[in-house]
Amino acid sequence: EVQLLESGGGLVQPGRSLRLSCAASGFIFDDHAMHWVRQRPGAGLEWVASISWNSGKIEYAVSVKDRFIISRDNAKNSLYLEMNSLRVEDTALYYCVRDTPVGAGGFDYWGEGALVVVSS
Amino acid sequence: DIVMTQSPDSLAVSLGERATINCKSSQNIFYDSNNKNYLAWYQQRPGQPPKLLVYWASIRQSGVPDRFSGSGSGTDFTLTISSLQAEDVAVYYCQQYYTTPFTFGPGTIVDLK
């Protein structure tokens, strides 16, 4: 069974940093690109960042570029999101998301999310 | 960026009736070289993460009931629930994965009448 378990969320002051982790299990981790998608309270879905299977291709939303860093450790079946210079508007539930296998499309598995609250 | 819009914002449907949700992309998301539309549909029930329902605009994800169907091409797409069940009450999002930034529609709330 595919499982994605986020951790590292919490309450943080504006300007500070936080690191999210996602532990993946139940599938061959390095067969898949991975993503972070966030959802602000009561709002829709916003793609944040993507990383290819071998970290060779990394992309960010403009809203987080130069502040957030996505990374992965295939030996540990883990995905990370280093969030720096946090802003109040970064408050959201952050989902760790698996890209579909080759031949399919979209994002096929989502974790339960890690809540990040940025507030003074 | 490709902007995704959805209509209606919300709809209330009786059990067993049809629900239709529309999605429009600001740019063509059909890729000629592989003849595919880079469009997915997700269902998000209250308090749960999104669930992939349809990809390539019309391919149902494994395990998704056949009352869900996707159609459309180019810039205009539709998700149809042929016979609404109580467990289908949710917010539905379309998404383009043609190019980054991958963008989602604002969502359509489906509720029971």
Side-chain angles (χ1 to χ4, degrees):
Chain A
E1 181 194 2
V2 172
Q3 288 195 330
L4 299 168
L5 184 61
E6 301 93 341
S7 61
L11 174 63
V12 61
Q13 292 179 326
R16 303 299 289 264
S17 299
L18 204 61
R19 188 194 199 206
L20 301 183
S21 300
C22 171
S25 60
F27 65 100
I28 301 173
F29 185 64
D30 54 10
D31 273 355
H32 295 264
M34 297 293 294
H35 313 273
W36 289 98
V37 175
R38 69 184 180 185
Q39 187 167 35
R40 295 187 176 99
L45 302 166
E46 180 187 12
W47 169 78
V48 172
S50 297
I51 186 167
S52 62
W53 69 276
N54 64 351
S55 305
K57 183 176 184 180
I58 289 174
E59 296 178 282
Y60 297 97
V62 168
S63 57
V64 307
K65 192 171 170 57
D66 299 326
R67 297 189 299 124
F68 288 13
I69 300 171
I70 187 172
S71 63
R72 63 191 295 161
D73 185 334
N74 288 343
K76 295 183 178 179
N77 290 341
S78 293
L79 177 72
Y80 306 100
L81 187 67
E82 182 77 32
M83 302 184 292
N84 302 306
S85 303
L86 280 162
R87 304 168 180 168
V88 170
E89 56 265 33
D90 294 319
T91 294
L93 188 63
Y94 285 75
Y95 292 107
C96 169
V97 183
R98 191 184 87 163
D99 204 278
T100 49
V102 172
F107 300 168
D108 64 350
Y109 282 93
W110 299 59
E112 293 294 320
L115 182 62
V116 173
V117 177
V118 184
S119 174
S120 54
Chain B
D1 297 1
I2 297 177
V3 177
M4 307 299 290
T5 56
Q6 290 181 233
S7 63
D9 294 336
S10 64
L11 72 162
V13 178
S14 300
L15 285 173
E17 295 300 304
R18 178 185 299 260
T20 301
I21 302 167
N22 300 300
C23 172
K24 191 174 183 70
S25 58
S26 62
Q27 299 175 32
N28 187 356
I29 54 175
F30 177 78
Y31 196 34
D32 290 334
S33 66
N34 62 3
N35 205 37
K36 292 184 186 299
N37 288 283
Y38 283 61
L39 190 283
W41 287 98
Y42 300 87
Q43 174 194 66
Q44 187 175 31
R45 295 181 175 129
Q48 294 188 16
K51 172 187 173 183
L52 178 65
L53 296 177
V54 169
Y55 59 93
W56 299 137
S58 62
I59 307 299
R60 248 188 321 273
Q61 174 71 337
S62 175
V64 172
D66 61 6
R67 63 181 181 273
F68 291 92
S69 63
S71 62
S73 185
T75 61
D76 292 281
F77 303 91
T78 299
L79 177 71
T80 301
I81 310 172
S82 60
S83 175
L84 194 80
Q85 305 300 302
E87 60 265 31
D88 300 335
V89 169
V91 181
Y92 292 83
Y93 296 94
C94 60
Q95 178 215 18
Q96 66 79 20
Y97 50 96
Y98 183 84
T99 187
T100 55
F102 302 125
T103 46
F104 294 85
T108 294
I109 301 170
V110 174
D111 207 347
L112 287 174
K113 185 184 288 184

